[in-house]
Amino acid sequence: MTIITANTAKGRLSLEQRRKLAETLTDAVLVPEVGQFAPAARVGFQVHFVERESDTMAIGGRLLSDAVPDADVMMIDVTVMDGDWRQNVRAEVIERVLAAMADACGLAEPSPAWWVNFRVIDEGSWGSRGGVLSVLSLLDTGVFTEEKAKAVRTALGA
């Protein structure tokens, strides 16, 4: 279970860009999380697009409405269930998220004002389906590779 929230200035992303990002941001996290491209796992991912007025966002101590008109500020928050999130896996996710954003926006590289937060929700702290959900219950669904399932179990001491 993963939630990706892209916070942008109002009107920054078109409907077509959001459609593309709904898929590419999902896959940017999905592949490192489960160890393979597994379309069946997409159901466990949500992507939220939050648009904010330029007078409700600031960078460098100045509201965007008062800053340089072409300031391209984004905050992408990736929230995942506990699992195999070693530093190299987190870095891969962050790089893939930024690459997906740049591609959808038609840019060769991400803006330096696009920032990504990566959050891990502790085991036993994710609610869904009327109760507490554990990543351990998802390991035998067929979407995780054997290697990734073993790494998750090891990371969680299971």
Side-chain angles (χ1 to χ4, degrees), residues 20-55:
K20 180 175 185 170
L21 286 165
E23 183 174 306
T24 60
L25 288 175
T26 294
D27 293 343
V29 182
L30 183 151
V31 172
E33 184 170 11
V34 303
Q36 64 183 344
F37 177 65
R42 284 181 172 160
V43 70
F45 287 73
Q46 293 183 19
V47 179
H48 298 229
F49 298 99
V50 179
E51 293 187 320
R52 302 184 186 279
E53 295 291 338
S54 62
D55 63 354

Side-chain angles (χ1 to χ4, degrees), residues 18-20 34 42 44 56 59 64 66 71-72 84-85 117 119 124 132 141 145-146 154:
R18 290 191 308 269
R19 282 188 176 123
K20 180 175 185 170
V34 303
R42 284 181 172 160
T56 66
I59 189 164
L64 292 185
D66 298 336
D72 192 11
D84 177 33
W85 295 114
N117 277 348
R119 303 172 199 243
V132 175
T141 61
T145 63
E146 264 187 56
T154 299

Side-chain angles (χ1 to χ4, degrees), residues 68-91:
V68 180
D70 62 348
D72 192 11
V73 174
M74 283 190 208
M75 174 52 218
I76 302 106
D77 186 76
V78 178
T79 306
V80 298
M81 295 178 80
D82 207 352
D84 177 33
W85 295 114
R86 293 165 286 151
Q87 185 58 43
N88 65 315
V89 179
R90 292 174 191 224

